[in-house]
Amino acid sequence: MLEASFISSKAPISVAVLGAGHRGRAYAEQMAASARFQVTAVAESDPERRSAFAEQHQIDRARVFESAEELLALPPVADLIVVALMDQLHVGAAVSALRSGYHVLLEKPMATTLEDCELIERTQRETGRTLMVCHVLRYHLVNQKVKELLDEGAIGQIVTIDHVEALDPVFFASMFVRGQWNNEQTSTFFLMAKCCHDIDLISWFAGEKCRRVSSFGSLSYFTRECEPPGATDRCTQGCLAEPSCPYSALKIHLSGAGSHNPSIQYPDSASDVDAHRVYNSSLGCGNSRKEILHALETGPYGRCVYRSDNDAVDRQVVSLEYDHGIVATFTVTAFNASINQRFTRIHGTGGVITCDYKGNWIEVRKFPKNTFERIELPAIQAGHGGADQLIIKALAGSFDPEGGDPLTSAARSLETHRIVFAAEEARKSGRVVALN
Ligand SMILES: NC(=O)c1ccc[n+]([C@@H]2O[C@H](COP(=O)([O-])OP(=O)(O)OC[C@H]3O[C@@H](n4cnc5c(N)ncnc54)[C@H](O)[C@@H]3O)[C@@H](O)[C@H]2O)c1
């Protein structure tokens, strides 16, 4: 078991990263830039990612592992573990790490079943280790400020919250039609995979317990019924619609490989700073035209978006009712006209708050005097509009003597994961689901 005194001293907290993919690398980069952390171990099953990560963080060869399981079978090799594996591997890694004595930074979703989320929370309580869930949106400057305004009563009592997540269709198709979150069997359902952040954010703003949820949504566009005439299983098979198809894998991955294709709307947000690089890094091949073409001819990213094995919904609405009558709506759509965006509008008994997470502004209108204030917040150059940096700062702060429970602790995150499971049950059953 690691000594608490070590953590409470100002010595750097040593970190082992499980999964050196997009998220593992993003957190490690923020940690490397902080004096409070030192990345000293990695477990990554892909040899190229593993060696690039080990080299970037100058990790001793003895602390470079081929799998999370191999690292976790040993006595602790660090103070803290970052679990940045795919969704279904979270529970095993988090529980094993906590039981070994590690503190844990756990990517969302906590796990893919409610029972496993509960197991993680229970294990965290029993071991007394710190566990922070990566609900990064809570740490974004705009959302922090909105929460502060709500808590100080700037718009009176909250009445309604409306929150929209609008995704770039090309981004959606890459991740949720062709990519590794396209099917519940291999990852988790769409609302959990993409929007557990949003339900968490709405619930944090509401500051009350959620009582009931209902939900509607479906996969209605990225289906066989919507395919254009002349479609083929893959974009590389002479599809007649390919030249005009916005989802052409040839355009997304090959046109000017390594540079942005101006004809495609790339998301500019978050972890997708250089979307083309991100899209192509998902292919798991080199950057030459030949290698990319081979990946499109044989791998998941070359499949026709109307003929994939996807079951992720491409639209969903969730209605939520909180204690004391606050009601909220959440809408997610795969069909934004441009980049990925999130919009929030909160009506209170004394005014209205609107905010733009991308534009870093908040507007507050108050009545009856009809005052108006626009608050501009600084842009931070890190993933998720700076939130990737702020969550690591908050993680460091949670080890200070006055640190307290993380804002996205296991217990708080379990509560909002419960709502996501209930919403999905409501969507599938067509019933209103009560939360006890
Ligand atoms: N907080 C956020 O905003 C946010 C954003 C995107 C993704 N995520 C979540 O982060 C997690 C990781 O997503 P990602 O985009 O980094 O995926 P990724 O595929 O880029 O990274 C996962 C890495 O784990 C490696 N891996 C798989 N099995 C392994 C094992 N047994 N041992 C060691 N390494 C193994 C893979 O080779 C891969 O490099 C997912 O759960 C995802 O839902 C969170």
Side-chain angles (χ1 to χ4, degrees), residues 314-332:
D314 51 29
R315 67 210 61 192
Q316 187 164 358
V317 292
V318 181
S319 312
L320 307 110
E321 181 187 49
Y322 290 85
D323 280 349
H324 303 113
I326 298 173
V327 286
T329 63
F330 170 62
T331 301
V332 58

Side-chain angles (χ1 to χ4, degrees), residues 17-25 27 43-46 49 65-69 83-90 107-109 134-137 180-181 188 192-194 197 271 281 384 388:
V17 175
L18 307 185
H22 298 125
R23 300 306 300 158
R25 292 198 298 271
Y27 294 124
E44 165 55 54
S45 51
D46 179 272
R49 287 183 174 187
F65 301 89
E66 291 182 13
S67 76
E69 297 75 12
V83 179
L85 303 163
M86 268 300 283
D87 310 342
Q88 297 190 342
L89 299 177
H90 289 187
E107 253 307 352
K108 50 60 48 180
C134 296
H135 279 310
V136 288
L137 292 185
Q180 55 186 353
W181 291 278
T188 182
M192 181 60 84
K194 188 73 188 91
H197 281 315
S271 36
S281 74
H384 291 107
D388 285 359

Side-chain angles (χ1 to χ4, degrees), residues 23 86-88 90 107-112 134-135 165 167 171-172 175-176 179-184 186-199 311-313 316 330 332 342 384 417 420-421 424:
R23 300 306 300 158
M86 268 300 283
D87 310 342
Q88 297 190 342
H90 289 187
E107 253 307 352
K108 50 60 48 180
M110 293 174 81
T112 57
C134 296
H135 279 310
E165 177 166 26
L167 298 170
F171 169 85
F172 181 88
M175 306 290 161
F176 302 103
Q180 55 186 353
W181 291 278
N182 77 338
N183 194 295
E184 185 170 351
T186 47
S187 57
T188 182
F189 53 94
F190 176 73
L191 190 73
M192 181 60 84
K194 188 73 188 91
C195 315
C196 64
H197 281 315
D198 302 274
I199 300 295
D311 65 9
V313 299
Q316 187 164 358
F330 170 62
V332 58
R342 285 183 163 102
H384 291 107
H417 275 64
V420 181
F421 285 112
E424 187 64 357

Side-chain angles (χ1 to χ4, degrees), residues 92-389:
V95 168
S96 163
L98 288 166
R99 287 187 180 147
S100 300
Y102 290 102
H103 301 281
V104 174
L105 179 67
L106 174 60
E107 253 307 352
K108 50 60 48 180
M110 293 174 81
T112 57
T113 67
L114 180 56
E115 293 69 29
D116 285 346
C117 294
E118 289 170 341
L119 174 64
I120 292 172
E121 190 273 337
R122 198 164 55 246
T123 310
Q124 182 279 320
R125 257 187 297 121
E126 287 166 1
T127 57
R129 303 281 95 182
T130 293
L131 184 142
M132 181 186 260
V133 176
C134 296
H135 279 310
V136 288
L137 292 185
R138 286 204 194 195
Y139 299 90
H140 192 283
L141 287 183
V142 165
N143 296 329
Q144 287 271 327
K145 184 66 188 171
V146 168
K147 179 65 176 164
E148 190 185 308
L149 290 166
L150 294 172
D151 286 352
E152 70 193 25
I155 56 164
Q157 290 173 26
I158 301 171
V159 178
T160 55
I161 303 174
D162 297 295
H163 180 75
V164 176
E165 177 166 26
L167 298 170
D168 171 345
V170 172
F171 169 85
F172 181 88
S174 287
M175 306 290 161
F176 302 103
V177 177
R178 293 171 166 140
Q180 55 186 353
W181 291 278
N182 77 338
N183 194 295
E184 185 170 351
Q185 287 309 313
T186 47
S187 57
T188 182
F189 53 94
F190 176 73
L191 190 73
M192 181 60 84
K194 188 73 188 91
C195 315
C196 64
H197 281 315
D198 302 274
I199 300 295
D200 179 75
L201 187 71
I202 293 168
S203 304
W204 182 52
F205 285 161
E208 302 280 354
K209 280 211 177 311
C210 184
R211 287 199 292 227
R212 300 194 295 171
V213 292
S214 66
S215 180
F216 298 96
S218 60
L219 167 63
S220 297
Y221 183 70
F222 293 106
T223 63
R224 197 97 193 197
E225 290 71 45
C226 293
E227 74 179 33
T232 49
D233 287 348
R234 289 181 178 274
C235 304
T236 48
Q237 292 172 330
C239 170
L240 295 180
E242 187 279 321
S244 60
C245 179
Y247 307 104
S248 156
L250 299 173
K251 285 196 204 112
I252 295 170
H253 295 284
L254 262 180
S255 298
S259 67
H260 273 243
N261 175 353
S263 70
I264 291 173
Q265 302 277 6
Y266 291 100
D268 72 344
S269 70
S271 36
D272 31 45
V273 175
D274 176 351
H276 197 89
R277 183 171 57 79
V278 172
Y279 289 153
N280 275 5
S281 74
S282 303
L283 297 178
C285 68
N287 216 17
S288 75
R289 191 181 164 82
K290 195 173 159 202
E291 287 166 303
I292 293 173
L293 199 53
H294 179 70
L296 299 183
E297 283 164 351
T298 55
Y301 293 93
R303 293 180 295 186
C304 172
V305 294
Y306 306 99
R307 294 184 174 199
S308 184
D309 62 349
N310 53 315
D311 65 9
V313 299
D314 51 29
R315 67 210 61 192
Q316 187 164 358
V317 292
V318 181
S319 312
L320 307 110
E321 181 187 49
Y322 290 85
D323 280 349
H324 303 113
I326 298 173
V327 286
T329 63
F330 170 62
T331 301
V332 58
T333 173
F335 302 97
N336 202 21
S338 60
I339 57 173
N340 293 346
Q341 282 177 301
R342 285 183 163 102
F343 314 99
T344 314
R345 184 176 188 91
I346 306 172
H347 289 250
T349 53
V352 181
I353 290 177
T354 47
C355 62
D356 181 340
Y357 153 100
K358 281 284 172 60
N360 284 299
W361 58 256
I362 301 168
E363 288 182 352
V364 189
R365 287 176 196 277
K366 293 186 190 174
F367 44 82
K369 288 194 176 157
N370 217 10
T371 60
F372 172 78
E373 184 188 7
R374 185 178 163 100
I375 302 166
E376 306 269 357
L377 290 155
I380 300 179
Q381 294 309 315
H384 291 107
D388 285 359
Q389 187 186 95

Side-chain angles (χ1 to χ4, degrees), residues 406-424:
L407 180 59
T408 50
S409 65
R412 291 187 181 121
S413 301
L414 173 61
E415 283 316 303
T416 62
H417 275 64
R418 269 188 213 291
I419 306 170
V420 181
F421 285 112
E424 187 64 357

